Amino acid sequence: MDQHCPSPMKATSNGIFQGDNPLDFALPLAILQICLVLVVTRGLAFLLRPLRQPRVIAEVIGGILLGPSALGRNKGYLNAVFPPKSITVLDTLANVGLLFFLFLAGLELDVKSLRQSGKKVLAIAITGITLPFVLGVGTSFILRGTINQGVNTTAFLVFMGVALSITAFPVLARILAELKLLTTDVGRMAMSAAAVNDVAAWILLALAIALSGDNLSAVVPLWVFLCGCGFVIGASLIVPPIFKWISQRCHEGEPVDEMYICATLAAVLAAGLVTDVIGIHAMFGAFVIGVLLPKEGPFAGVLVEKVEDLVSGLFLPLYFVSSGLKTNVATIQGVQSWGLLVLVIFTACFGKIIGTFIVSLLWKIPKNEALALGFLMNSKGLVELIVLNIGKDRKVLNDQTFAIMVMMALFTTFITTPLVMAVYKPAKMPSKGDYKHRRIERKNPNTELRLLTCFRSSRNIPSVINLLEASRGTERGERLSVYAMHLMEFSERPSAILMVHKARHNGLPFWNKSQRSANHVVVAFEAFQQLSQVSVRPMTSISSLSDMHEDICITAEKKNIAMIILPYHKNLRLDGSFESTRPDFHLVNKRVLEHASCSVGIFVDRGLGGTAQISASNVSFSITVLYFGGHDDREALAYGTRMAEHPGVELTVIRFLVESDSSEEIVTIHTDAATLVSADEEFLAAFRTSISDDSSIKYEEKTIRNVSETITILRDYSRCSLFLVGRRPNGVVPLALSQRTDCPELGPVGSLLTSPEYATTASVLVVQQYYDKLYATSPHQRDVASV
């Protein structure tokens, strides 16, 4: 009897010293299985990252490798690590993970955007389901006649149809984000069509499960389906009002009551129990609760943050292993089996890609976009595996059919990214030369100034707003136009998809109330807009850190920006020193400085104007421009002059002159710099003429011989509010200073002002002027600027 029915495992062992083998007990074995799964799947994900594949690919392959297809060929390993008696515990844990993951997947689906889907999206979605479904049913007749004989015909037909017609919504969202297509037309259409497809697939899956019971009576599937419909209707009447009430009790920036979180998780499990009792899988109930939960307000976001890491990091990979243990690629053998695999892959791809392509063309979508849509809609993922596993558990699919279908899902998802990259390249950078004002220094300073200010978190927003208030110049607010871009790192987490939903309406004005998110960041900028009459538009960049600079540079080009203001990558500590929390942002700044087609400022924030936003009437800033010479210094002075128009700003300009006979640390000036010096003289002469009757601007000249004298002079101005400096100042003193800089993107003077040896509470804005051949008036200028 024991050979057929293994005795149940005890939970914990007494330890190895008392003669127990820990692997004969449920808990230590489950811990070993989880650790093994995590190491293998994360290792594979790391190896596949250069191919830009979604993590689900690594998890499916990892599951297959741990199962009988690869490592499992060693029976000793299989019986020690995944013995048959441990499978129940493993499957239970995996299904708990699956339950909560599908609750998160339901949260990702925005039903409102589904209702707003146009006819075009609906047509693409319906064709993307219907054609593959019909082809799947056709293929199932061939499979039934060859390798999958003697099963419930109706259930098999529906399962095959569903398996071929699914588009994995979460996987698709991650592929789109990876390819930076989320906010393009193709991305929006693909996301909306996949969401429609997802809902239809769940309905079909519920039907397939209802049909696949062991009971031969025709009434039972009907009862199951009707009760399922009753559950959805009942839940949609009861759940939204309750959670809307909870959501209204949760306020932005305040901790959410633990009771609400607990109640929600209990509701998810209860819904799972109800659908399991009905005879549809428990995950169906969890998904329905996720879809019905209101997405507005902070509650949904907090819920996702609480649940996602444990679920998608720990439990969900177990589901892929549970699936991999059932997948034996070795069962696909002989010409017939491989021929059927090719047939299944061909019909799956043909139905999705060709169906979507033809309908897209009928809706006048360009060919490359239509083809990209077809490839994107062809991605499969977790939902596909769920369908196949349920089919296998219900004895609708045998081992060979199951293995063929898993390989098909793997192949179709794997080819998505490279194929989309090959056929669809959205217009990256618009052609240069479309707009004139790529910098602040210009012939007519009264033209509109357009700034793109970037921020990573809410901690430096008051300072950024105070900087913008000072930049406003005179009372004529229309002269300043600001784009505020929130830099968000994209990850494979469900919260990233919620982030995408919130950031869909990129660059909309704040006063468009219908799209306004209840975000405290947005509220701060909105208040600034109303108080100062400056046009402010919020934007969000959601991308991986490796190509975040592309988002910033492309936006600057599209919006005709004169200067990008970036946050310094280090944060201020309480003792006044700087610490680097995310060194990766250092590279983002570096790349923007290299690739931007306008001026760039790096803002080192030491709490400009305190930690609160200041109203216009209370602004009292003393701003110091350090002028050594060169393009960047001229840009810093041009910006400072603009700020000095504000009634609450006092500007001090210090020009450093080198004594001609000084020879201590300083080498003689480069002869090629003569042109630059004359350009500086012209610029300063014009500046001094313009300020002759302005009492808020002081101009001073300081003669220096060496670096130490420069530092001594700078200490006298350490009590100001803000230093404006050029990144690449011209002259021999900055050249001597540059030998001691540890942060090249701040330049020699900026690095000195942020170093621990220079004590100040002043913030620093380091400016790099956009410099192009169009602006050059002499062949020497470009050479000198690059010094």
Side-chain angles (χ1 to χ4, degrees):
M1 179 73 183
D2 281 350
Q3 288 175 339
H4 301 292
C5 181
S7 57
M9 298 176 85
K10 284 184 180 174
T12 53
S13 74
N14 293 320
I16 202 164
F17 295 111
Q18 295 194 32
D20 281 355
N21 177 0
L23 297 186
D24 290 338
F25 295 82
L27 181 67
L29 185 59
I31 292 170
L32 175 69
Q33 290 169 343
I34 291 170
C35 293
L36 185 64
V37 171
L38 291 179
V39 169
V40 172
T41 54
R42 291 297 168 136
L44 277 168
F46 180 76
L47 294 175
L48 289 173
R49 194 177 292 162
L51 298 175
R52 304 180 84 168
Q53 292 295 337
R55 200 168 73 205
V56 68
I57 291 278
E59 288 170 330
V60 175
I61 295 173
I64 292 170
L65 291 179
L66 289 170
S69 304
L71 292 173
R73 293 185 173 214
N74 179 340
K75 291 289 176 266
Y77 149 83
L78 203 61
N79 290 327
V81 181
F82 294 104
K85 59 186 175 180
S86 76
I87 299 301
T88 310
V89 175
L90 181 72
D91 277 358
T92 306
L93 283 172
N95 276 293
V96 169
L98 183 66
L99 194 80
F100 282 109
F101 185 80
L102 284 160
F103 164 64
L104 295 176
L107 267 175
E108 285 180 19
L109 263 185
D110 192 358
V111 183
K112 280 184 183 169
S113 64
L114 281 189
R115 289 189 198 132
Q116 292 161 4
S117 299
K119 291 177 184 173
K120 188 193 296 185
V121 168
L122 282 174
I124 292 169
I126 291 164
T127 316
I129 297 166
T130 315
L131 190 58
F133 191 88
V134 172
L135 290 173
V137 170
T139 313
S140 64
F141 282 111
I142 300 169
L143 288 171
R144 247 190 102 245
T146 50
I147 60 170
N148 208 60
Q149 294 164 341
V151 293
N152 180 336
T153 313
T154 321
F156 184 55
L157 297 185
V158 179
F159 263 102
M160 285 298 292
V162 173
L164 263 67
S165 62
I166 276 175
T167 297
F169 178 75
V171 176
L172 178 71
R174 285 150 182 75
I175 290 174
L176 287 169
E178 181 65 45
L179 297 178
K180 302 193 81 61
L181 299 176
L182 268 171
T183 48
T184 60
D185 289 343
V186 169
R188 286 199 186 95
M189 278 191 284
M191 286 276 275
S192 302
V196 175
N197 191 308
D198 221 20
V199 172
W202 284 105
I203 295 166
L204 289 168
L205 179 57
L207 179 67
I209 294 169
L211 291 168
S212 64
D214 297 330
N215 198 309
L216 299 175
S217 164
V219 185
V220 172
L222 182 65
W223 270 115
V224 171
F225 196 69
L226 287 174
C227 288
C229 292
F231 166 76
V232 173
I233 293 163
S236 48
L237 292 173
I238 298 166
V239 172
I242 294 172
F243 283 107
K244 202 165 185 184
W245 179 81
I246 289 177
S247 190
Q248 285 166 352
R249 305 276 306 252
C250 303
H251 303 292
E252 192 76 54
E254 292 179 15
V256 172
D257 192 336
E258 176 251 0
M259 180 71 188
Y260 297 147
I261 303 284
C262 187
T264 309
L265 300 183
V268 172
L269 292 170
L273 176 64
V274 172
T275 46
D276 198 81
V277 167
I278 291 170
I280 314 173
H281 199 286
M283 64 183 184
F284 193 76
F287 180 75
V288 169
I289 297 288
V291 170
L292 294 175
L293 212 78
K295 313 291 186 286
E296 296 83 27
F299 183 61
V302 169
L303 205 57
V304 170
E305 282 171 22
K306 299 266 186 197
V307 177
E308 67 179 344
D309 290 335
L310 187 67
V311 168
S312 53
L314 210 61
F315 287 132
L316 199 65
L318 294 180
Y319 191 80
F320 292 101
V321 171
S322 167
S323 175
L325 289 171
K326 299 173 196 161
T327 312
N328 191 354
V329 180
T331 56
I332 309 174
Q333 50 186 311
V335 179
Q336 187 194 46
S337 285
W338 285 102
L340 288 169
L341 174 62
V342 172
L343 174 74
V344 168
I345 288 174
F346 175 76
T347 46
C349 295
F350 181 85
K352 275 283 184 197
I353 296 169
I354 303 300
T356 307
F357 179 66
I358 291 168
V359 173
S360 302
L361 287 182
L362 293 175
W363 281 94
K364 308 278 191 300
I365 293 173
K367 278 183 189 171
N368 64 333
E369 289 190 17
L371 203 53
L373 263 176
F375 291 141
L376 286 165
M377 297 301 285
N378 194 33
S379 57
K380 305 274 188 275
L382 180 68
V383 186
E384 174 81 0
L385 277 190
I386 295 166
V387 174
L388 299 177
N389 274 293
I390 293 171
K392 179 91 162 56
D393 294 343
R394 301 274 172 128
K395 310 265 186 307
V396 176
L397 306 176
N398 64 16
D399 286 357
Q400 201 173 347
T401 314
F402 182 76
I404 284 176
M405 297 303 287
V406 169
M407 296 305 285
M408 179 272 292
L410 201 56
F411 180 80
T412 52
T413 310
F414 197 88
I415 61 170
T416 301
T417 306
L419 284 177
V420 174
M421 285 171 73
V423 301
Y424 183 67
K425 294 181 177 69
K428 277 286 176 194
M429 292 291 278
S431 61
K432 288 191 178 184
D434 291 348
Y435 67 100
K436 288 189 300 182
H437 300 307
R438 295 173 180 274
R439 51 191 195 170
I440 294 174
E441 184 198 345
R442 53 187 73 167
K443 284 176 184 168
N444 178 8
N446 292 324
T447 47
E448 183 191 37
L449 175 63
R450 299 171 79 90
L451 298 178
L452 171 64
T453 175
C454 304
F455 56 93
R456 297 195 303 269
S457 66
S458 54
R459 67 187 289 173
N460 51 1
I461 283 181
S463 300
V464 168
I465 290 178
N466 292 334
L467 179 68
L468 294 174
E469 170 60 41
S471 313
R472 189 159 63 87
T474 58
E475 294 304 312
R476 287 175 295 162
E478 74 275 7
R479 287 180 52 213
L480 179 64
S481 189
V482 176
Y483 290 85
M485 182 182 269
H486 192 175
L487 304 177
M488 288 180 164
E489 185 184 1
F490 187 83
S491 66
E492 294 228 355
R493 298 159 68 167
S495 55
I497 302 297
L498 280 180
M499 218 157 68
V500 170
H501 285 315
K502 286 178 181 170
R504 269 292 181 71
H505 310 283
N506 239 353
L508 277 176
F510 275 120
W511 36 258
N512 191 336
K513 294 283 187 279
S514 60
Q515 308 293 3
R516 202 183 82 205
S517 64
N519 186 328
H520 57 288
V521 171
V522 173
V523 170
F525 278 108
E526 186 178 29
F528 170 60
Q529 167 167 304
Q530 288 171 351
L531 286 169
S532 63
Q533 305 301 307
V534 170
S535 161
V536 186
R537 293 188 178 208
M539 311 180 82
T540 308
S541 158
I542 301 175
S543 52
S544 57
L545 288 173
S546 58
D547 47 20
M548 193 174 273
H549 67 283
E550 286 179 17
D551 276 9
I552 298 168
C553 295
I554 291 166
T555 304
E557 184 80 32
K558 282 181 180 169
K559 305 292 182 190
N560 299 353
I561 298 297
M563 180 179 275
I564 300 167
I565 297 175
L566 297 168
Y568 185 42
H569 68 279
K570 294 182 181 179
N571 290 326
L572 187 69
R573 290 184 5 191
L574 289 172
D575 62 0
S577 62
F578 287 94
E579 63 173 345
S580 183
T581 47
R582 291 296 304 273
D584 314 5
F585 277 106
H586 174 221
L587 291 172
V588 174
N589 289 359
K590 206 170 168 187
R591 290 186 187 119
V592 173
L593 285 165
E594 281 171 28
H595 297 107
S597 57
C598 63
S599 293
V600 180
I602 292 182
F603 182 46
V604 182
D605 178 26
R606 284 197 177 104
L608 177 65
T611 52
Q613 183 180 329
I614 304 175
S615 65
S617 55
N618 295 336
V619 168
S620 176
F621 294 151
S622 61
I623 295 174
T624 306
V625 176
L626 305 178
Y627 194 95
F628 291 89
H631 299 284
D632 294 352
D633 280 20
R634 291 209 295 276
E635 186 76 346
L637 181 51
Y639 196 6
T641 310
R642 186 185 172 94
M643 287 180 165
E645 292 176 14
H646 194 292
V649 170
E650 284 188 2
L651 180 69
T652 306
V653 179
I654 304 164
R655 187 189 181 190
F656 291 91
L657 297 167
V658 182
E659 255 186 39
S660 52
D661 60 351
S662 64
S663 56
E664 283 176 56
E665 305 171 31
I666 290 177
V667 288
T668 53
I669 198 157
H670 204 283
T671 52
D672 274 355
T675 330
L676 201 61
V677 170
S678 65
D680 281 332
E681 293 298 341
E682 278 175 37
F683 181 76
L684 283 170
F687 166 71
R688 291 173 74 175
T689 309
S690 67
I691 64 158
S692 53
D693 56 348
D694 191 337
S695 60
S696 67
I697 301 179
K698 291 179 195 162
Y699 175 79
E700 299 173 16
E701 291 189 348
K702 303 281 184 185
T703 306
I704 48 170
R705 281 184 300 220
N706 51 37
V707 170
S708 56
E709 280 188 15
T710 312
I711 295 173
T712 307
I713 291 168
L714 288 180
R715 288 195 202 284
D716 297 339
Y717 295 91
S718 63
R719 296 177 69 82
C720 71
S721 313
L722 175 70
F723 281 111
L724 280 173
V725 298
R727 178 171 170 250
R728 300 160 302 188
N730 187 46
V732 284
V733 173
L735 199 64
L737 271 172
S738 64
Q739 290 161 7
R740 55 170 85 182
T741 178
D742 62 336
C743 195
E745 70 269 26
L746 292 183
V749 184
S751 292
L752 171 68
L753 294 174
T754 53
S755 66
E757 63 195 61
Y758 184 77
T760 179
T761 54
S763 298
V764 182
L765 184 66
V766 181
V767 176
Q768 172 182 294
Q769 185 179 56
Y770 172 69
Y771 192 76
D772 192 69
K773 285 171 185 157
L774 293 169
Y775 288 92
T777 53
S778 131
H780 295 303
Q781 284 189 349
R782 193 163 180 81
D783 301 329
V784 180
S786 61
V787 171

